[in-house]
Amino acid sequence: MITVLYSGNVLAAQRASVVGCLVWMFLSIVPASAEVRIDGVDGDTQAVVLAFLSIDELPCDAPQWWIEYRLKQLRPEIGRAMGGLGFYNPDVTTTLDRSDTCWTLRVAIKPGDQVRVRSFEFEIDEPLAGEPLVTELRTGKGLVLDVPFSHEAYEGLKEKLLDIAQDLGYFDAEFSRHQVRIDPVLNAADIDLAIAGGARYRIGEILTDQTTLEPELFARYLRIREGQFYDARDLLESYKNLSESDYFSRVLITPLVDSREDGLVPVRVAVVPSPRRLLQLGGGYATDTGPRVRGDVTYRRLNDRGHRASTNTLLSTLVNKVALGYRLPYGDPLEQWLFAKASYNDEETDTSESKSYAVGVGRNHRRGRHWTETNHIDYTVTDFSVGDQHESRSNLLILGTNWGRTSAIDAPRPLSGYSINLDLRGAVKQLLSDNDFLQLIVRAKHILPLGNRIRLLSRINAGWIQADEFEELPPSVRFFAGGDNSVRGYEYESLGPEENGDVVGGRKLLTGSLEADIRIRNNWSLALFVDSGSAFDGNPEFSIGVGVGVRWYSPLGPVRLDLAHPLDDPDTNIRIHFSLGPDL
């Protein structure tokens, strides 16, 4: 039996040269290169073989002695190239054709049978052998018996194994044996692989380079503690937490592996703070509000305790809003926030007018990996009139809870996903309110992929109010339908129960939408949609709108332009709807 020992990467080509050849190349003017043709193997294999051939570099006017010298190297070079692919018995035939101006070399290769794995000795010492990632790699993700042997897969397995060991804190891990024995006669490969993991290191001193937040708050964003076993996933989660906190523009977390000793590896955490204030100004046109001007100011941090503040202003022909907000972290800053807010809202539609003042406090809390719970108390004072109903003032102390869940989709145009939002709120006369009511709102969206180019987007909103004195409730509590995010083809809040021809809002709401989104270019799509819905007291009377639209997936999010027509009002002109925001 002929045995070939393999250790390392056989794909590294070793090209021979002689001093005379180099001198000849230096003194000569470089003419056109000759042609080398490879037959009998596929294109990828041809590329590998050509990369190993030194004769492929010779020019048309190369002297005969130089060509013959390179021809002698041809078969060993092809042998190394094909051996790297697992073919150790290739049959090679060469034909050299000369013309007056150049020469051509034709190489015909019959690969023969590919080497297959005959035995695999794979040893990993404890405690590295007991790690779940290592067990998974060892049992099913590496080389197995009686499959074609691949040097690339072999080297990939070694690299993956060392990466896992390093990521889990086995910084002293190394291969005590790594050898492949190739039997080219029987086309068999025997693999002998052994790794000594050594001891697993723990997190040592955590060196922080930051003055943005107080140390105790900053530490709550980290998922590493001194003394715990090192795991690169904990460092990655810490990096993600700090990056998404919005306090920092850059984050760097580095294990100081070269400084490890006594089973401990120190970790350095360095950050660059984000600008303290963010100013956003904008203007434009929206179907629901007409021409508008918007200005938002966000104070990312007011102090080293992580407090934040914001002001939001919207001025338009239908809706004018001013809102102030204040937030501060408590407990786990990734999951728990306290907030206070105050707002003024002036809204006027064809059938209602309202001016409201509100203050409130609340708490955000993440439940599990997906759900976010928000509990709040809001006190609102609203002066309003709806249709022919008399002008009235509403004082409500509203207690509410909101639960939201959105699948983790990080893409301008996600191919799948969903979102669910449940909102329950109410007031009672015994608690600083002049009316009793209970309201439940359910919102859900879903994206279903139909191949890579087509998505089916669905949306449903449902609401219900229980109130003995419904006519005393302000418009902000009642249900209306129609508009960009409701039933397209109809004006904003133009659908609902009527009194003397004026829409006064209903106790119940049910709207839905079905939309086909067809990608025509990377960032552009066409849409076909149908919307239906009703705001009602007794039985619903559904209005239906249909239309077409175009979508531009901009860096700021999807921009939608729709042309919609109401089916139950054929005399109404096509209505234009424009909106900006994520799909979920």
Side-chain angles (χ1 to χ4, degrees):
M1 179 182 75
I2 301 174
T3 300
V4 179
L5 292 182
Y6 165 76
S7 178
N9 188 351
V10 300
L11 296 181
Q14 302 295 325
R15 302 201 172 176
S17 61
V18 295
V19 174
C21 295
L22 292 175
V23 172
W24 187 90
M25 288 178 62
F26 179 78
L27 296 177
S28 301
I29 298 175
V30 180
S33 297
E35 181 181 6
V36 178
R37 298 179 182 176
I38 307 294
D39 299 319
V41 292
D42 58 34
D44 292 338
T45 305
Q46 288 181 13
V48 172
V49 172
L50 285 173
F52 275 78
L53 297 186
S54 57
I55 198 171
D56 185 45
E57 302 172 349
L58 297 187
C60 286
D61 59 351
Q64 181 65 28
W65 64 267
W66 195 4
I67 297 175
E68 291 178 354
Y69 175 78
R70 290 295 173 85
L71 282 174
K72 293 179 181 179
Q73 298 175 316
L74 184 69
R75 294 179 186 277
E77 291 171 345
I78 293 177
R80 288 195 295 271
M82 296 299 292
L85 299 174
F87 298 94
Y88 281 85
N89 292 299
D91 184 12
V92 180
T93 303
T94 62
T95 304
L96 183 66
D97 297 327
R98 278 190 171 276
S99 66
D100 294 337
T101 58
C102 199
W103 54 273
T104 301
L105 177 65
R106 292 180 172 84
V107 181
I109 301 175
K110 295 181 180 179
D113 294 330
Q114 191 171 7
V115 168
R116 305 182 75 84
V117 178
R118 179 170 58 188
S119 65
F120 193 0
E121 296 293 331
F122 195 4
E123 296 180 6
I124 307 175
D125 66 358
E126 296 291 347
L128 179 60
E131 299 291 348
L133 290 177
V134 174
T135 301
E136 179 183 355
L137 181 68
R138 186 176 185 177
T139 55
K141 299 297 180 64
L143 300 171
V144 295
L145 298 181
D146 200 32
V147 298
F149 173 74
S150 167
H151 292 289
E152 183 178 2
Y154 170 73
E155 293 295 336
L157 175 63
K158 290 170 56 182
E159 182 179 356
K160 180 66 174 178
L161 189 55
L162 280 180
D163 287 344
I164 291 176
Q166 293 284 323
D167 288 346
L168 293 176
Y170 294 89
F171 296 112
D172 299 328
E174 60 181 0
F175 288 102
S176 55
R177 299 193 310 274
H178 56 106
Q179 186 171 258
V180 178
R181 295 180 179 272
I182 302 295
D183 183 345
V185 176
L186 298 179
N187 289 313
D190 301 310
I191 303 172
D192 186 10
L193 196 62
I195 185 171
R200 185 179 184 184
Y201 280 77
R202 296 177 181 268
I203 299 291
E205 183 180 6
I206 300 175
L207 307 170
T208 58
D209 182 8
Q210 70 90 28
T211 57
T212 305
L213 301 178
E214 60 182 14
E216 188 273 336
L217 175 60
F218 186 83
R220 280 187 270 161
Y221 283 96
L222 302 179
R223 292 298 178 259
I224 54 175
R225 298 290 183 268
E226 292 186 16
Q228 74 183 50
F229 279 118
Y230 178 93
D231 192 325
R233 291 170 295 185
D234 295 330
L235 272 65
L236 180 61
E237 187 176 358
S238 300
Y239 171 86
K240 181 180 178 182
N241 293 347
L242 291 172
S243 299
E244 294 180 353
S245 71
D246 204 30
Y247 293 125
F248 311 107
S249 60
R250 293 184 61 188
V251 177
L252 181 64
I253 301 180
T254 308
L256 305 179
V257 178
D258 293 339
S259 300
R260 67 187 187 275
E261 61 180 359
D262 299 329
L264 299 175
V265 56
V267 177
R268 180 178 298 280
V269 182
V271 296
V272 176
S274 299
R276 186 180 296 270
R277 185 176 64 180
L278 174 65
L279 174 63
Q280 296 175 304
L281 299 175
Y285 177 87
T287 308
D288 289 351
T289 59
R292 72 185 188 277
V293 177
R294 186 180 189 96
D296 298 332
V297 181
T298 301
Y299 296 89
R300 290 189 173 99
R301 59 187 187 282
L302 296 175
N303 49 48
D304 62 359
R305 297 185 300 278
H307 292 199
R308 295 176 174 172
S310 63
T311 64
N312 307 99
T313 304
L314 173 66
L315 303 177
S316 69
T317 55
L318 293 182
V319 179
N320 296 288
K321 296 181 179 180
V322 178
L324 306 175
Y326 196 95
R327 296 178 58 190
L328 62 151
Y330 79 99
D332 187 337
L334 292 169
E335 300 182 352
Q336 298 170 315
W337 287 80
L338 299 176
F339 63 86
K341 58 183 180 178
S343 65
Y344 167 76
N345 187 11
D346 183 356
E347 183 171 338
E348 180 179 350
T349 68
D350 291 341
T351 59
S352 69
E353 296 181 11
S354 67
K355 290 182 173 64
S356 65
Y357 307 85
V359 294
V361 295
R363 183 192 75 162
N364 296 110
H365 188 84
R366 185 181 298 175
R367 298 291 186 180
R369 295 184 58 186
H370 301 289
W371 288 99
T372 299
E373 174 190 355
T374 302
N375 300 314
H376 59 92
I377 301 175
D378 301 317
Y379 185 74
T380 66
V381 178
T382 307
D383 294 315
F384 69 94
S385 63
V386 180
D388 291 337
Q389 297 177 3
H390 63 278
E391 294 186 7
S392 181
R393 166 167 285 197
S394 170
N395 297 276
L396 296 173
L397 181 66
I398 299 174
L399 284 74
T401 182
N402 178 279
W403 288 69
R405 174 171 180 161
T406 301
S407 59
I409 301 295
D410 186 16
R413 183 180 182 269
L415 289 177
S416 63
Y418 66 90
S419 67
I420 303 173
N421 189 276
L422 308 175
D423 198 353
L424 179 65
R425 60 178 182 162
V428 293
K429 291 182 178 180
Q430 290 81 0
L431 292 177
L432 302 178
S433 299
D434 51 24
N435 205 340
D436 296 326
F437 84 92
L438 181 65
Q439 183 180 61
L440 174 64
I441 302 175
V442 179
R443 304 178 185 89
K445 296 180 180 179
H446 186 259
I447 301 176
L448 176 67
L450 301 177
N452 293 326
R453 295 180 59 247
I454 302 177
R455 303 181 305 162
L456 195 62
L457 290 79
S458 57
R459 164 176 52 87
I460 186 169
N461 294 338
W464 167 84
I465 298 174
Q466 174 62 45
D468 294 334
E469 300 174 350
F470 180 78
E471 66 278 0
E472 300 298 328
L473 290 177
S476 59
V477 178
R478 307 184 190 193
F479 290 123
F480 299 85
D484 296 339
N485 297 310
S486 180
V487 184
R488 286 164 287 187
Y490 298 85
E491 293 185 14
Y492 176 59
E493 295 189 352
S494 63
L495 302 176
E498 298 181 2
E499 290 185 4
N500 300 322
D502 295 325
V503 179
V504 297
R507 299 170 181 265
K508 302 173 185 177
L509 176 72
L510 185 59
T511 65
S513 175
L514 193 62
E515 178 176 313
D517 177 285
I518 306 166
R519 188 179 64 188
I520 55 175
R521 296 184 64 182
N522 287 340
N523 297 321
W524 292 89
S525 294
L526 293 178
L528 304 174
F529 61 85
V530 55
D531 298 341
S532 180
S534 175
F536 55 98
D537 290 327
N539 296 320
E541 296 181 2
F542 291 104
S543 299
I544 301 176
V546 296
V548 298
V550 63
R551 308 286 181 262
W552 174 45
Y553 298 96
S554 74
L556 299 178
V559 178
R560 306 176 187 85
L561 178 63
D562 294 324
L563 303 178
H565 179 69
L567 292 185
D568 57 354
D569 190 0
D571 296 330
T572 301
N573 293 329
I574 290 177
R575 187 168 177 80
I576 299 175
H577 294 270
F578 179 84
S579 62
L580 169 67
D583 291 326
L584 295 177

